[in-house]
């Protein structure tokens, strides 16, 4: 049996139609139109408010940074920190002429030895450098810590948390999994304190 051509089917369907065609549009189409309109309307309003607030935000930012710029004695500072850095060896190598760039930096700026932490390992020392407090306050003691529930090792500085959120609309509920990083280090880093006072930095 040969297949019927789509054009023939179309002619057969509408050849006998004598009255107006009937159609049904469900309420979902109305919800789609209304929600799309509300999203566009809210976006336009928010964009308009952001444009209105922009000059005021710029003036406030200028006054804040201008005040801190007048009070500061140094225009710009660069901190170079190297992991596993032995200041005694570097001092000796600079005197012997093996590290001319470090020698130039020490003469133009500052070169000081810092005490290390206890224990003297990278995550503990860098956390103390960033916050200016001892490990008992920033709560970082090693690369890893244990999970109190199952005693399995976990990173001590950050935890990846998985959050399951639900969005309910009428009788239906959609579930969505989201992941976010939770920083476990306590105390506040010095660059955050500087940023709150209008002194911005790149880390």
């Amino acid at each position: 049996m040969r297949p019927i051509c789509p054009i023939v089917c179309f002619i057969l369907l509408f050849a006998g139609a004598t009255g107006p065609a009937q159609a049904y549009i469900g309420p979902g189409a109305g919800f789609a139109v209304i929600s799309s309109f509300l999203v566009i309307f809210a976006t336009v309003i928010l964009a308009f408010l952001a444009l209105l607030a922009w000059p005021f935000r710029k003036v406030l930012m200028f006054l804040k940074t201008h005040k801190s710029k007048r009070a500061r004695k140094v225009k710009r500072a660069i901190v170079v920190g190297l992991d596993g850095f032995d200041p005694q060896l570097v001092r000796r190598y600079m005197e012997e002429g093996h590290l001319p760039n470090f020698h130039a930096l020490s003469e133009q700026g500052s070169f000081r030895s810092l005490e290390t932490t206890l224990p003297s390992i990278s995550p503990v020392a860098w956390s103390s450098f960033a916050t200016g407090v001892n490990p008992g306050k920033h709560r970082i003691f090693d690369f890893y810590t244990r999970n109190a529930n199952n005693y399995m090792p976990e990173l001590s500085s950050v935890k990846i948390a998985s959050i399951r959120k639900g969005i309910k609309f009428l009788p239906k509920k959609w579930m969505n999994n989201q992941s976010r990083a939770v920083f476990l280090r306590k105390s506040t880093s010095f660059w955050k304190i500087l940023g709150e006072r209008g002194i911005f930095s790149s880390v």
Side-chain angles (χ1 to χ4, degrees):
M1 183 176 176
R2 295 180 61 188
I4 300 174
C5 178
I7 298 175
V8 175
C9 291
F10 182 78
I11 292 171
L12 288 174
L13 284 172
F14 289 97
T18 56
Q22 302 294 321
Y24 169 74
I25 299 175
F31 286 131
V33 171
I34 291 171
S35 61
S36 300
F37 172 76
L38 288 176
V39 167
I40 294 170
F41 181 74
T43 305
V44 170
I45 293 296
L46 288 174
F48 180 70
L49 292 174
L51 286 173
L52 283 180
W54 181 79
F56 301 103
R57 290 174 58 229
K58 280 294 180 184
V59 169
L60 287 174
M61 187 64 69
F62 173 77
L63 293 174
K64 189 176 180 181
T65 54
H66 186 68
K67 184 179 179 181
S68 64
K69 281 180 181 178
R70 283 186 302 173
R72 71 179 66 157
K73 297 177 181 178
V74 178
K75 287 186 177 180
R76 183 174 297 174
I78 299 173
V79 179
V80 180
L82 302 177
D83 203 355
F85 196 72
D86 188 336
Q88 304 301 326
L89 286 176
V90 171
R91 209 171 253 114
R92 193 180 87 194
Y93 294 152
M94 284 194 301
E95 290 172 359
E96 293 174 358
H98 298 304
L99 298 172
N101 292 326
F102 273 112
H103 184 69
L105 282 172
S106 66
E107 286 188 340
Q108 295 173 13
S110 177
F111 180 77
R112 297 286 184 273
S113 300
L114 297 177
E115 288 187 14
T116 188
T117 53
L118 185 65
S120 57
I121 52 179
S122 296
V124 186
W126 284 116
S127 297
S128 291
F129 166 78
T131 59
V133 299
N134 60 52
K137 291 184 179 178
H138 61 62
R139 309 296 292 168
I140 304 294
F141 301 103
D142 200 345
F143 285 96
Y144 294 97
T145 185
R146 65 174 176 82
N147 188 316
N149 297 324
N150 53 22
Y151 290 91
M152 293 297 290
E154 292 181 344
L155 284 174
S156 62
S157 57
V158 68
K159 181 179 181 181
I160 306 300
S162 182
I163 303 169
R164 190 169 172 81
K165 287 188 175 181
I167 302 170
K168 191 172 182 181
F169 183 72
L170 296 177
K172 191 163 178 63
K173 189 174 185 180
W174 290 273
M175 299 306 293
N176 184 22
N177 290 330
Q178 295 180 355
S179 297
R180 65 187 181 97
V182 179
F183 292 99
L184 303 177
R185 187 188 69 206
K186 307 299 180 184
S187 300
T188 308
S189 58
F190 68 85
W191 52 82
K192 186 175 181 182
I193 296 170
L194 291 174
E196 289 171 354
R197 286 156 177 76
I199 303 171
F200 303 105
S201 57
S202 298
V203 180

